[in-house]
């Protein structure tokens, strides 16, 4: 990936030299760098806010309640994890954090869920169907509140950044259902 990025930068500079727009290119880089720092600082605020909300939800038992609510449907999606309660709990917490748009908070739960599933895996060099299904739905990234995207839009001056909630909910729902559907189809094909 680094090589691709370096290649793109070199091509940009070469084109800027030949077009005589090197000063515009340098100014664009400096303005973009400044904007990146501004966005980063606004993301710190929104991430701190949402992580605080999740922490309150965790301490109040709300996350556990939500995890219990989605545990039964998750056992239908992951039938071979009935005896692996830790994996199901971590999957539920991962999906809960993703639904709130907190990808960074969801990552530790996702890693722990994969570790729990790998611990029960008989073929250590091969992913189980549950691992593949979890990876697919986690990658689809179902979100109810896209907190990070709202923060980026807000930092860029959008008047109503929350207007993306409904379209995001629709698109991520379709992606989640598609990932689950194709995962279950491929699970039967590659038995």
């Amino acid at each position: 990936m680094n090589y691709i990025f370096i290649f793109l930068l070199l091509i940009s500079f070469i084109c800027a030299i030949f077009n005589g727009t090197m000063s515009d290119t340098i100014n664009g880089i400096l303005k973009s760098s400044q904007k990146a720092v501004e966005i980063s600082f606004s993301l710190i605020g929104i991430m701190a806010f949402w992580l605080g909300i999740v922490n309150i939800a965790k301490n109040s038992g709300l996350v556990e309640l939500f995890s219990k609510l989605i545990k039964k449907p998750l056992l239908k999606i992951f039938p071979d994890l009935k005896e692996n309660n830790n994996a199901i709990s971590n999957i539920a917490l991962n999906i809960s954090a993703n639904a709130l748009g907190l990808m960074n908070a969801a990552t530790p739960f996702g890693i722990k869920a994969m570790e729990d599933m790998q611990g029960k895996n008989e073929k250590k060099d091969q992913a189980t169907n549950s691992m593949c299904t979890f990876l697919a739905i986690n990658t689809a990234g179902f979100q109810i509140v896209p907190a990070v995207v709202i923060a980026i839009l807000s930092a860029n001056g959008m008047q109503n950044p929350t207007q993306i909630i409904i379209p995001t909910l629709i698109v991520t729902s379709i992606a989640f259902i598609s990932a689950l559907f194709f995962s279950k189809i491929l699970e039967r094909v590659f038995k």
Side-chain angles (χ1 to χ4, degrees):
M1 189 64 158
N2 289 338
Y3 295 119
I4 294 170
F5 186 69
I6 290 170
F7 175 75
L8 290 173
L9 280 174
L10 287 175
I11 293 295
S12 299
F13 283 125
I14 290 169
C15 288
I17 289 169
F18 284 116
N19 291 334
T21 58
M22 187 56 117
S23 62
D24 292 338
T25 303
I26 300 288
N27 288 335
I29 289 171
L30 294 175
K31 285 180 184 175
S32 297
S33 298
Q34 181 181 359
K35 192 68 173 174
V37 170
E38 291 171 10
I39 290 172
S40 296
F41 278 116
S42 67
L43 282 176
I44 290 170
I46 196 77
M47 288 301 290
F49 171 74
W50 280 109
L51 287 173
I53 295 293
V54 168
N55 199 24
I56 291 168
K58 216 191 284 185
N59 290 340
S60 69
L62 191 61
V63 173
E64 282 297 318
L65 177 67
F66 184 72
S67 295
K68 286 179 184 175
L69 288 174
I70 66 171
K71 210 172 203 178
K72 286 195 189 281
L74 286 177
L75 286 172
K76 291 186 189 310
I77 295 170
F78 303 100
D80 55 332
L81 295 181
K82 285 187 184 266
E83 290 136 24
N84 196 345
N85 196 35
N86 287 339
I88 284 291
S89 295
N90 284 314
I91 289 170
L93 290 169
N94 174 273
I95 290 172
S96 302
N98 271 332
L100 293 173
L102 302 170
M103 290 78 65
N104 294 341
T107 300
F109 297 126
I111 292 170
K112 187 69 178 126
M114 282 294 198
E115 287 173 352
D116 292 337
M117 287 186 277
Q118 181 66 7
K120 303 277 184 179
N121 188 0
E122 294 173 9
K123 298 178 183 177
K124 299 292 183 192
D125 62 335
Q126 196 173 21
T128 64
N129 288 334
S130 291
M131 292 168 89
C132 293
T133 300
F134 177 60
L135 181 64
I137 63 174
N138 194 36
T139 303
F142 173 73
Q143 289 186 357
I144 297 170
V145 180
V148 174
V149 177
I150 290 171
I152 291 171
L153 292 174
S154 179
N156 282 305
M158 185 173 183
Q159 294 298 319
N160 185 11
T162 57
Q163 72 186 15
I164 64 154
I165 291 176
I166 299 298
T168 300
L169 183 60
I170 293 168
V171 170
T172 59
S173 296
I174 291 169
F176 183 87
I177 292 166
S178 299
L180 185 58
F181 176 75
F182 286 110
S183 172
K184 291 301 179 182
I185 286 176
L186 292 173
E187 184 177 303
R188 291 175 189 212
V189 170
F190 293 105
K191 275 197 171 188

